Amino acid sequence: MKQIRLNAFDMNCVGHIQQGMWRHPRDRSTDYTKLDYWTGLARTLERGLFDGLFLADVLGVYDVFQGSSDAAIREAVQVPLGDPLLLIPAMAQATTHLSFGVTANLSYEPPFTFARRMSTLDHLTDGRIGWNIVTGYLDSAARAMGLDAQVAHDDRYDVADAYMDAVYKLWEGSWAPDAVQRNRTTGVFADPSRVRSVSHESAHFRMNGIHLCEPSPQRTPVLYQAGSSGRGRKFAATHAECVFVNGTSKSTVAPIVADIRKKAVAAGRKADDILIFVGATIVTGRTDEEAKEKLADYQRYASEDGALAHMCGSLGIDFSTYAPEDPITMVKTQAIVSNLEAIAKRPEGPQMTKKKLVESLVLGGRQKPIVGGPQTIADELIAWTTEADVDGFILARTVTPECFADFVDLVVPALQERGAYKTAYSDGALRQKLFAGGTSLLPDRHPAAARRGW
Amino acid sequence: MKQIRLNAFDMNCVGHIQQGMWRHPRDRSTDYTKLDYWTGLARTLERGLFDGLFLADVLGVYDVFQGSSDAAIREAVQVPLGDPLLLIPAMAQATTHLSFGVTANLSYEPPFTFARRMSTLDHLTDGRIGWNIVTGYLDSAARAMGLDAQVAHDDRYDVADAYMDAVYKLWEGSWAPDAVQRNRTTGVFADPSRVRSVSHESAHFRMNGIHLCEPSPQRTPVLYQAGSSGRGRKFAATHAECVFVNGTSKSTVAPIVADIRKKAVAAGRKADDILIFVGATIVTGRTDEEAKEKLADYQRYASEDGALAHMCGSLGIDFSTYAPEDPITMVKTQAIVSNLEAIAKRPEGPQMTKKKLVESLVLGGRQKPIVGGPQTIADELIAWTTEADVDGFILARTVTPECFADFVDLVVPALQERGAYKTAYSDGALRQKLFAGGTSLLPDRHPAAARRGW
C-alpha cells in the first residue's frame, strides 16, 4: 500500500488557514513569538513520524476585504507575522528527523544572499530543508518593497525560471564535489581550482561570484511548489519535487494530479519524481461522535470576517461589496487565479453565491474539515491516495497544538495498522527519506543537474 | 570600579581574525556547520557571564591579495561562510541571558524584510538581539549582488542614514504600544486604529506598509557600529549604542574614544549612551609561562598568506606587489580606510614597511595578542578601561572553543576578584543589561524616538 506522506502546515503567526481559532481557550497560537512553542510542536510532529513541518509566508497584509487591512489586523489573519526561516534552527536542534519546508518569495531577494540562507539551513539541519518557491500574490507586499504593484501573474513565473537558474548555478555548480579537503596536515581547506565563480545575467538580475557556502548535504534544498494555474503547473512540472494542491473533492483533484505528472514526464522527468500533497483540515477524536462534538466546540470560535479577509486578499476580490445572492464568477486578477477558479467553477453543485460561500466557511476558512474518529479519518485519507493519486497531505491547524497531538495519538496508529504509514523514519537527508533509492542530491534528469559541469 | 563588558567575536566560518588556527589539532572551527558546535559555544560564554556573542559577516570573498580569491579559499579566510542570523535561534534556546550581536549589511536588503528578520529574532530571544550596522567594503560582494562595484565609502553612510530612518519608522512607529490586545473574550487581537502604515521615499529606496511584526521586547535592536573613519564616527555618534574600535595601543585609542563621546553629546545624546568596545586577542594560561608556551604552540599554525588575504581584502590594497622594504602609505580606496590609517600612521614607531607588517602577523592576523596568566591579563584589561576609557572588549578567537573556555575559567575569576566584572547577569532585555536604570526601549533622546509619535 502507498505510504502516506505528512506535512504539518503552519505559519509564524496567530491566524493561518482557519481564522478565529486563537480565541479557543486551549489554543496556544498566540505564543508564536516563543521558541518553546515551536520546539514543542516540532517534537510532537516527530513523535508522529511526520515527514515535515511546512511553513507558509507572505510579505504583505490582506487589505482587499472592505478595502482595508482592519479586519486582518483585528482578527490576526496572518498579521502580525514573523520570518519563518528563523524558527527552523531551534526546531532542528530539538529534533533528529523532522524536515522543514519553508516558504520564501523569490521576488524580493537577490539569488546570491538567498542561496546562502538556504545552504546555511541545509548544513545546520543536516539536510532536512525544503524550499517552497513562491512569487507572491499581494499588492501590499509589492508596495512595502518599493514597487507600485506586483508583477503580473504569468510574468512572475518567467522571473522565477531565471531565478531558479541562478540559484542552481550557486548550489550545484560553484563548488566541485572534491573542492573541500579540510586537511590539517597540508593546510589546504579547499582547493581553489575546484571552486569557481558563477554568473547570471538576465533582464531580471545580475550576479557574479562564488557561492559563499561549501556544498551542503542536499546542495539544492528539496523543492516545493504550490501553483496550480496552467503556468504554475508548468513551472512545478519542471522544477518541483513536492507539489501542494488544494481542492474540495477527489474528483476535482485527480485530473490536476494526472496533469502535473504528465507534464513532468514531458519535461524529461519521471511521474513519481514529484510527490503530490493535498491540503486538509482534520478534526478527530476517539470516536466519530467525539470528533463531531469537537468540531462543534471549535466552530464557536470561527471568524467569518477573518476568513473573508484572508480569502479576499488571496483572490484579489472584495466580497464585502457582494449581496448574499450575487454569484461568484471568474474575475481577472493578479492574485491566486486558480483558487477563484476552484470556487467559481465547482462542478459538484449549483452556481456559487456569496451566501453559499460564507456558509462554507465552517471553521473560519475555505478548507472544509474532514471530521471523524481514527478509522473514519484513515479511510478518507487512504481513499484520497487511491482515487486522486495524491502522495500525502499537508495538514492545516485548527486549535493548536492539540490538533496535531490528536492526529499523532489517534490517526497515526490507525494508518499504521492499515500499513499506510511508516513505523520509523528512514535514514539520510530529506530527499533520501522522500525518494527511496535516491541520494541526497537531485537526480541527473532534473534541470539543476545541468548546472553542475564538474 | 568600571564593570568590564565582554563580547566574544566570531563568524559563521572557519578562519575569522587569526588565520590558520583551524589547523591546530584542538581547534574545532571546522565544525561551524553543526548546531551543537554553536550551542556549546553559547553555553561556555554564558557560564562566563559574557554580555554577548558578536557575529561578523561579509557578503563577498577576499580577492585582492595576488589578484584572486585563491589564498582565501585555500586557507578558509572567511570563506566558506554561512548566514549568521540562522545560528542565533538555536543558541538562544540553549541559553537564558547571553545576547547576540549580529552583523547585517544594509546595502543589499530592503528595510521592510530586514526589519521583520530582526523583530523576529528580538521576539524569539526575548530581547537579546543587537544589530551591527555595516555597509560592506568588498567589491566582490557588490558584483555578487549585481552591481559593477560598491558604492563609494562616504556615500554608503548617506544610504545608511536613510535606511536607519526607514527601519526606525517600522520598529518604533508602526504599532502603538497598546495596539496588541490578545483578547480572547472580545475577539480583538489588535486594534487596527493603533496600527499604521509607514512610508519612506528617498533616492535610495521606497517603502509603504505596516511593519509585519508586533512590537518586540526592544523594538529597535541594540545598535552596534564599528566604523571609525570620520564619517563612520559621525554615524556612530548619531545612532550607535555600542561601538567597536580597533587599535594597537591605549594611546591611539583614547582620543578616538573621546572623540566618539564628544560627537554623541554634540548629537544631543549622553557621553555614556555609547559603550565602547576594543578588539582584543587573548592567549592565557594558569601562569604567564604557560600562556607563552601556548602562544608558541598556536603560532606554529598561523597562516601568513591567510592573514595577507584578509588584510589586503579589507584594505583594498594588494601587498603581494610590495617588496619587503616598500613603505606602507595611505592610498585612497573604497574599503576600510581607517584600518590603513592605523597601519600607515602608527605614531609609536618608524615608517611601516611590508616586511614589518608581515612580522607583526603573530597569530595569523593584524591583531597582536595579549599574552599572560590571569593576573597579567586582568591588569591589562583594567588598564585599557582606565587609560583609554573603553567599556569593554570584543574577544577574537584563536584556537576555539578552548580560547573562550580558558578565558572563562581563568581570567573571569581574576576580573571578578578585582571587582571589575559582574558576578551574575542582571535581568531584562539586552538594552537593560547594558544600560542600568533604562528600559528595554531606546531613550527619548535617541533619533529613533522621533519616529514613535503615538
Side-chain angles (χ1 to χ4, degrees):
Chain A
M1 187 179 280
K2 191 183 249 187
Q3 295 297 296
I4 289 176
R5 298 290 178 180
L6 288 179
N7 275 304
F9 198 21
D10 213 323
M11 197 168 189
N12 191 358
C13 64
V14 176
H16 179 203
I17 299 289
Q18 305 291 7
Q19 305 301 335
M21 293 296 109
W22 68 272
R23 294 181 292 175
H24 191 287
R26 293 196 303 273
D27 187 84
R28 295 275 73 82
S29 62
T30 54
D31 292 340
Y32 75 102
T33 57
K34 305 295 176 195
L35 282 172
D36 284 345
Y37 168 80
W38 293 102
T39 54
L41 173 66
R43 285 194 192 96
T44 298
L45 297 176
E46 185 155 276
R47 180 162 64 79
L49 307 177
F50 271 58
D51 295 281
L53 169 62
F54 189 83
L55 293 163
D57 194 30
V58 290
L59 282 178
V61 292
Y62 293 93
D63 58 4
V64 175
F65 178 63
Q66 297 173 336
S68 91
S69 56
D70 284 5
I73 292 170
R74 195 173 50 244
E75 315 275 331
V77 178
Q78 303 188 2
V79 64
L81 173 65
D83 187 291
L85 276 74
L86 295 164
L87 303 176
I88 295 172
M91 290 192 286
Q93 179 76 353
T95 55
T96 306
H97 291 286
L98 186 72
S99 76
F100 306 94
V102 63
T103 301
N105 186 328
L106 55 75
S107 300
Y108 304 116
E109 179 165 21
F112 188 74
T113 42
F114 175 70
R116 184 172 75 142
R117 286 191 216 280
M118 295 307 281
S119 294
T120 302
L121 282 176
D122 200 48
H123 275 300
L124 295 177
T125 62
D126 260 323
R128 293 189 274 152
I129 285 293
W131 170 31
N132 179 34
I133 309 159
V134 301
T135 62
Y137 52 86
L138 295 177
D139 275 334
S140 61
R143 288 193 303 273
M145 302 298 277
L147 306 175
D148 292 318
Q150 61 184 321
V151 174
H153 179 276
D154 282 11
D155 295 345
R156 294 203 297 272
Y157 280 106
D158 294 338
V159 178
D161 278 321
Y163 197 96
M164 295 310 292
D165 194 47
V167 292
Y168 291 155
K169 287 174 188 167
L170 291 164
W171 286 327
E172 302 285 336
S174 187
W175 293 66
D178 58 357
V180 176
Q181 302 184 355
R182 274 181 160 72
N183 191 324
R184 287 174 201 258
T185 311
T186 62
V188 174
F189 183 84
D191 176 355
S193 73
R194 306 292 289 158
V195 181
R196 68 181 167 212
S197 191
V198 292
S199 63
H200 179 93
E201 184 124 24
S202 70
H204 313 294
F205 35 75
R206 295 163 61 197
M207 168 185 93
N208 189 323
I210 74 160
H211 185 37
L212 289 179
C213 297
E214 61 180 300
S216 66
Q218 302 185 115
R219 286 187 177 249
T220 297
V222 170
L223 300 172
Y224 295 74
Q225 210 260 345
S228 50
S229 66
R231 184 67 180 89
R233 276 187 225 168
K234 185 181 162 215
F235 182 89
T238 306
H239 299 282
E241 302 174 84
C242 298
V243 173
F244 296 138
V245 298
N246 275 304
T248 45
S249 69
K250 303 175 197 77
S251 60
T252 54
V253 167
I256 298 175
V257 171
D259 183 54
I260 292 169
R261 297 204 194 279
K262 200 179 98 187
K263 283 190 165 73
V265 172
R269 303 173 67 199
K270 293 187 177 173
D272 59 3
D273 277 356
I274 299 183
L275 297 176
I276 298 179
F277 293 77
V278 66
T281 297
I282 287 165
V283 178
T284 191
R286 282 167 298 181
T287 61
D288 284 356
E289 198 50 45
E290 192 179 277
K292 281 177 199 156
E293 284 165 18
K294 202 175 282 179
L295 177 71
D297 175 41
Y298 288 3
Q299 264 188 290
R300 294 164 49 216
Y301 300 92
S303 165
E304 182 184 308
D305 271 10
L308 285 169
H310 183 196
M311 191 192 310
C312 295
S314 53
L315 298 175
I317 300 167
D318 182 6
F319 290 130
S320 75
T321 64
Y322 284 45
E325 299 304 330
D326 279 353
I328 306 293
T329 52
M330 285 296 289
V331 182
K332 178 77 180 159
T333 78
Q334 297 305 338
I336 306 182
V337 291
S338 54
N339 283 2
L340 182 60
E341 199 169 42
I343 298 169
K345 293 190 177 170
R346 42 171 40 199
E348 68 266 43
Q351 173 65 52
M352 178 57 95
T353 61
K354 161 80 178 292
K355 182 160 174 278
K356 283 185 208 147
L357 184 64
V358 169
E359 283 167 1
S360 75
L361 305 171
V362 178
L363 275 183
R366 212 158 47 75
Q367 198 167 70
K368 190 181 162 194
I370 304 172
V371 184
Q375 301 309 327
T376 303
I377 301 290
D379 284 343
E380 179 67 7
L381 298 185
I382 291 169
W384 270 91
T385 66
T386 53
E387 294 171 37
D389 192 28
V390 301
D391 299 288
F393 302 88
I394 175 161
L395 302 181
R397 59 174 157 91
T398 53
V399 170
T400 195
E402 92 172 22
C403 59
F404 293 118
D406 282 350
F407 190 94
V408 167
D409 294 332
L410 302 172
V411 181
V412 163
L415 290 171
Q416 287 170 328
E417 279 165 28
R418 315 281 186 97
Y421 192 69
K422 62 182 162 307
T423 54
Y425 282 108
S426 51
D427 286 331
L430 172 57
R431 185 169 283 119
Q432 289 163 291
K433 287 181 162 74
L434 291 178
F435 300 96
T439 75
S440 64
L441 305 177
L442 277 166
D444 289 342
R445 57 191 175 271
H446 189 280
R451 293 308 185 179
R452 285 174 189 151
W454 287 100
Chain B
M1 187 178 282
K2 192 184 250 189
Q3 295 297 294
I4 289 175
R5 297 291 179 179
L6 287 179
N7 274 304
F9 198 20
D10 213 322
M11 199 168 189
N12 190 358
C13 65
V14 176
H16 179 203
I17 300 290
Q18 305 291 6
Q19 305 301 334
M21 293 296 109
W22 68 272
R23 295 182 291 174
H24 192 286
R26 293 196 303 273
D27 187 84
R28 295 275 72 83
S29 63
T30 54
D31 291 341
Y32 75 102
T33 57
K34 305 295 176 194
L35 282 172
D36 283 345
Y37 168 80
W38 292 103
T39 53
L41 172 65
R43 286 194 191 96
T44 297
L45 298 176
E46 185 155 277
R47 179 163 65 79
L49 306 177
F50 271 58
D51 295 282
L53 169 62
F54 190 83
L55 293 163
D57 193 30
V58 290
L59 282 178
V61 291
Y62 294 93
D63 58 3
V64 174
F65 177 64
Q66 297 174 334
S68 92
S69 55
D70 283 5
I73 292 170
R74 196 172 49 245
E75 315 275 330
V77 178
Q78 304 190 1
V79 63
L81 173 66
D83 187 291
L85 276 74
L86 295 164
L87 302 176
I88 295 172
M91 290 193 285
Q93 179 75 355
T95 55
T96 306
H97 290 285
L98 186 71
S99 76
F100 305 94
V102 63
T103 301
N105 185 327
L106 54 76
S107 300
Y108 304 117
E109 181 165 19
F112 188 73
T113 43
F114 175 71
R116 184 173 74 143
R117 286 192 216 281
M118 296 306 282
S119 294
T120 302
L121 282 176
D122 201 47
H123 275 300
L124 295 178
T125 63
D126 261 323
R128 293 188 274 152
I129 286 294
W131 170 31
N132 180 34
I133 308 159
V134 302
T135 61
Y137 53 86
L138 295 177
D139 275 334
S140 61
R143 288 193 303 272
M145 303 298 277
L147 306 175
D148 292 317
Q150 60 183 319
V151 174
H153 179 276
D154 282 12
D155 295 345
R156 295 202 296 272
Y157 280 106
D158 294 339
V159 178
D161 277 321
Y163 197 96
M164 296 310 294
D165 194 47
V167 292
Y168 291 156
K169 287 174 187 166
L170 290 165
W171 286 325
E172 302 285 336
S174 187
W175 294 67
D178 58 357
V180 176
Q181 302 183 355
R182 272 180 162 70
N183 190 324
R184 288 173 198 258
T185 311
T186 62
V188 174
F189 183 84
D191 177 354
S193 73
R194 305 294 289 159
V195 182
R196 69 181 167 211
S197 192
V198 293
S199 63
H200 178 92
E201 184 127 5
S202 69
H204 313 295
F205 34 76
R206 296 163 60 197
M207 169 186 92
N208 189 324
I210 73 160
H211 185 38
L212 289 179
C213 297
E214 62 182 297
S216 66
Q218 302 185 116
R219 285 185 177 251
T220 298
V222 170
L223 300 172
Y224 294 75
Q225 212 260 343
S228 48
S229 65
R231 184 67 181 88
R233 276 187 226 168
K234 185 182 163 213
F235 181 89
T238 306
H239 299 283
E241 302 174 83
C242 298
V243 173
F244 296 138
V245 298
N246 276 302
T248 45
S249 69
K250 304 176 197 75
S251 60
T252 54
V253 167
I256 298 174
V257 171
D259 183 54
I260 293 169
R261 297 204 194 280
K262 202 178 98 187
K263 283 189 165 72
V265 172
R269 304 172 67 198
K270 292 187 178 174
D272 59 2
D273 278 356
I274 299 184
L275 297 177
I276 297 179
F277 293 77
V278 67
T281 297
I282 287 166
V283 178
T284 191
R286 281 167 298 181
T287 62
D288 285 356
E289 199 48 47
E290 192 178 278
K292 281 177 199 156
E293 285 164 17
K294 200 175 283 179
L295 176 71
D297 175 41
Y298 288 3
Q299 263 187 292
R300 294 165 47 216
Y301 300 91
S303 165
E304 183 184 308
D305 271 11
L308 286 169
H310 184 195
M311 192 193 308
C312 295
S314 55
L315 297 175
I317 300 167
D318 181 6
F319 290 130
S320 74
T321 65
Y322 284 45
E325 299 304 330
D326 280 354
I328 307 292
T329 52
M330 284 296 288
V331 183
K332 176 78 179 157
T333 77
Q334 297 305 336
I336 306 182
V337 292
S338 53
N339 284 1
L340 182 61
E341 199 169 42
I343 298 169
K345 293 191 178 169
R346 44 172 37 199
E348 68 265 44
Q351 173 65 52
M352 179 56 95
T353 61
K354 161 82 177 291
K355 181 160 175 277
K356 281 185 207 148
L357 186 63
V358 169
E359 284 167 1
S360 76
L361 305 172
V362 179
L363 275 182
R366 211 159 47 75
Q367 198 168 69
K368 191 182 162 193
I370 305 173
V371 183
Q375 301 308 327
T376 303
I377 302 291
D379 284 344
E380 179 65 7
L381 297 185
I382 291 169
W384 270 91
T385 66
T386 52
E387 293 171 37
D389 192 28
V390 300
D391 299 288
F393 302 89
I394 175 162
L395 301 182
R397 58 174 157 91
T398 54
V399 171
T400 195
E402 87 173 25
C403 59
F404 293 119
D406 283 350
F407 190 94
V408 167
D409 294 332
L410 301 172
V411 181
V412 163
L415 290 170
Q416 287 170 328
E417 278 165 28
R418 316 284 186 93
Y421 193 69
K422 60 183 163 309
T423 53
Y425 282 108
S426 52
D427 287 330
L430 171 57
R431 185 168 282 119
Q432 288 162 292
K433 287 181 162 75
L434 291 178
F435 300 97
T439 75
S440 64
L441 304 177
L442 277 165
D444 290 343
R445 57 191 174 271
H446 189 280
R451 293 307 185 179
R452 286 174 188 151
W454 287 99

